[in-house]
Amino acid sequence: MAVDLLLGLQWGDEGKGKIVDVLTSNYNIIARFQGGPNAGHTLVFNGMKHVLHTIPSGIFHENAKNLVGNGVVIDPVIFKKELDKLDSQGVDYKKSLIISRKAHLILPTHRLLDAASEASKGKAKIGSTLKGIGPTYMDKTGRNGIRVGDLEMEKWKQKYRNLANKHQSMISFYDVDLQYDLEELESEFFEAVKILKSLEFIDSEEYLHQAEKANKSVLAEGAQGSLLDIDFGTYPFVTSSNTTAAGACTGLGISPGSVQEVFGIFKAYTTRVGSGPFPTELFDENGKTMASVGCEFGATTGRPRRCGWLDLVALRYACQVNGVTQLMMMKADVLSGFKTLKICTSYNYKGEVIEHLPYNIESENVEPIYTEFEGWSEDLTAMEKDSSLPISLINYIEFLENELKIPIKIVSVGPDPVSYTHLRAHETEADLVCRLLLEK
Ligand code: IMP
């Protein structure tokens, strides 16, 4: 079995949904391995925009199996809403959607705990999506969680009650005014659990082992980004799972040796939603332009995203931690019209120039050092098949490739689906012609 990984290399929202949608038709199985409904993967399929939160992005492809792996946390209520949307669009998911028995469930009280914990932090809040992600992973590692497989056992409701009661006393421990109607939340939850139970639960690691024997191909789809990884991200302003390559092994039960390609997705600039350090953040007109041209609003929460120049120090780090073999650069079109572009190539860290990501990148410690590039003015979204990229964009791409020693295989030049995604031919350096990745 060949397993390829698709990962975001920044603080999430790199445009993974679009790439995964382009790639899915090449794979037998699309598997989500971590995170939960804090993610929002935007896909445009058959002219319609879809936002998926927990369901893998292969769901619109007839022949792909879509696995929600053991590393994912599932909120039945949000999951049901996603299914309702698919139903209304006539997507037949019953046979193609499979769920690991070992995936953990987000309970209504997990969401409440998330809200209480964030409110109690005041200015130090993480900026969580408040989907109950942190509390659910805490119960997982604390060995208290409820798993999808528990739903097949008669006594699961007792287990649920015990845990929900415990959560309630924990909520009252926080000194915050949280108004909620648990009865109402629970009735919605139990209804949604019924729908979840109508789907196929499997021993997913065994399923993948059998797939390996049958020579099937798997695309493991990451959520969030490497800088939000619980271990390697900008802790504590991170999510609660391993968003990096290693998370695919623990979140699916595959061996490191089965991983082949690691596709790393990054934006031509940087964004971040929520709190936490962001050395290249822009507070000027340039940042505002990136936000408005790039429509930088969170797909899950609608919150405005913070914008800044590309941070090569952080990108280099993410490539190393993940073992990226191919890069894909998204939203190059958003940079059209900037006279000068900047890439942060090193940091002035407490008076010393460094090129690696240090323990603490808070602004009082780190000052970005930039290399400047001439911008381009061409509207990239209007590019036709076989037209050439502007020379300044080529310089930008080649600079990154030389620094990272990893080829940039796809340069996305527009918001619309694959017809605007260009694959850069890589045979020779002089071969700077773009061609359409897929022709529709
Ligand atoms: P949580 O995972 O919802 O608790 O959020 C923790 C941090 O990760 C917050 O700063 C969120 O804004 C951020 N985050 C979580 N999921 C995503 C995502 O899918 N894209 C971008 N940021 C995210």
Side-chain angles (χ1 to χ4, degrees), residues 18-63:
K18 180 172 172 180
I19 291 295
V20 93
D21 191 36
V22 171
L23 294 177
T24 39
S25 49
N26 303 331
Y27 294 88
N28 303 114
I29 302 164
I30 315 299
R32 268 283 300 271
F33 61 87
Q34 49 71 230
N38 48 351
H41 290 175
T42 307
L43 291 97
V44 181
F45 199 75
N46 287 342
M48 281 172 79
K49 189 172 161 183
H50 309 269
V51 180
L52 295 171
H53 298 286
T54 319
I55 294 174
S57 303
I59 202 71
F60 300 106
H61 289 267
E62 270 174 27
N63 300 323

Side-chain angles (χ1 to χ4, degrees), residues 79-133:
F79 205 80
K80 177 179 175 301
K81 285 185 186 149
E82 279 186 67
L83 295 177
D84 288 346
K85 274 241 170 77
L86 293 176
D87 275 329
S88 72
Q89 289 154 356
V91 178
D92 183 11
Y93 53 78
K94 286 263 170 180
K95 287 205 187 91
S96 63
L97 186 57
I98 44 183
I99 302 175
S100 170
R101 289 195 171 91
K102 293 194 171 91
H104 280 244
L105 292 180
I106 302 176
L107 314 187
T109 42
H110 281 132
R111 266 184 276 139
L112 296 172
L113 272 172
D114 216 359
S117 161
E118 276 286 80
S120 74
K121 285 187 170 146
K123 277 193 179 153
K125 69 176 183 181
I126 306 293
S128 165
T129 60
L130 302 180
K131 302 293 176 195
I133 306 296

Side-chain angles (χ1 to χ4, degrees), residues 11-13 38-40 126-129 133 224 228 238-239 273-274 303:
W11 278 290
D13 309 315
N38 48 351
I126 306 293
S128 165
T129 60
I133 306 296
Q224 290 84 47
L228 289 171
V238 292
T239 191
V273 63
R303 291 179 292 176

Side-chain angles (χ1 to χ4, degrees), residues 5 74 86 124 126 146 148 163 168 213 260 280 334 358 408 420:
L5 311 185
I74 301 173
L86 293 176
I126 306 293
I146 297 186
V148 165
L163 189 56
Q168 272 193 288
K213 281 191 198 158
Q260 292 191 352
T280 61
V334 175
I408 297 177
Y420 290 99

Side-chain angles (χ1 to χ4, degrees), residues 88-269:
S88 72
Q89 289 154 356
V91 178
D92 183 11
Y93 53 78
K94 286 263 170 180
K95 287 205 187 91
S96 63
L97 186 57
I98 44 183
I99 302 175
S100 170
R101 289 195 171 91
K102 293 194 171 91
H104 280 244
L105 292 180
I106 302 176
L107 314 187
T109 42
H110 281 132
R111 266 184 276 139
L112 296 172
L113 272 172
D114 216 359
S117 161
E118 276 286 80
S120 74
K121 285 187 170 146
K123 277 193 179 153
K125 69 176 183 181
I126 306 293
S128 165
T129 60
L130 302 180
K131 302 293 176 195
I133 306 296
T136 307
Y137 280 113
M138 278 165 73
D139 270 337
K140 175 177 177 174
T141 51
R143 294 155 296 177
N144 299 312
I146 297 186
R147 300 188 287 177
V148 165
D150 290 334
L151 300 177
E152 295 172 321
M153 296 177 194
E154 273 184 18
K155 56 178 192 243
W156 86 268
K157 281 204 176 162
Q158 188 52 49
K159 202 172 169 184
Y160 168 87
R161 189 76 277 139
N162 294 344
L163 189 56
N165 287 346
K166 184 178 155 198
H167 289 162
Q168 272 193 288
S169 41
M170 287 165 74
I171 291 164
S172 59
F173 174 79
Y174 288 103
D175 190 18
V176 294
D177 180 26
L178 193 67
Q179 305 292 329
Y180 61 91
D181 180 344
L182 188 56
E183 227 173 89
E184 196 182 319
L185 293 173
E186 287 188 337
S187 104
E188 187 186 33
F189 175 77
F190 289 123
E191 269 313 299
V193 164
K194 278 190 209 152
I195 304 294
L196 188 65
K197 284 176 80 170
S198 69
L199 297 173
E200 190 183 355
F201 299 165
I202 60 162
D203 296 332
S204 51
E205 59 286 4
E206 172 61 15
Y207 176 83
L208 289 173
H209 293 154
Q210 293 306 330
E212 179 165 22
K213 281 191 198 158
N215 229 5
K216 304 263 189 207
S217 56
V218 180
L219 181 67
E221 177 188 12
Q224 290 84 47
S226 301
L227 302 175
L228 289 171
D229 183 280
I230 182 73
D231 284 286
F232 299 105
T234 47
Y235 191 91
F237 302 100
V238 292
T239 191
S240 301
S241 60
N242 282 115
T243 57
T244 45
C249 295
T250 57
L252 291 174
I254 53 168
S255 71
S258 59
V259 175
Q260 292 191 352
E261 295 295 333
V262 180
F263 303 119
I265 318 291
F266 70 102
K267 270 183 204 167
Y269 50 103

Side-chain angles (χ1 to χ4, degrees), residues 60-81:
F60 300 106
H61 289 267
E62 270 174 27
N63 300 323
K65 279 278 188 189
N66 290 274
L67 169 65
V68 180
N70 58 280
V72 176
V73 289
I74 301 173
D75 183 335
V77 176
I78 297 178
F79 205 80
K80 177 179 175 301
K81 285 185 186 149

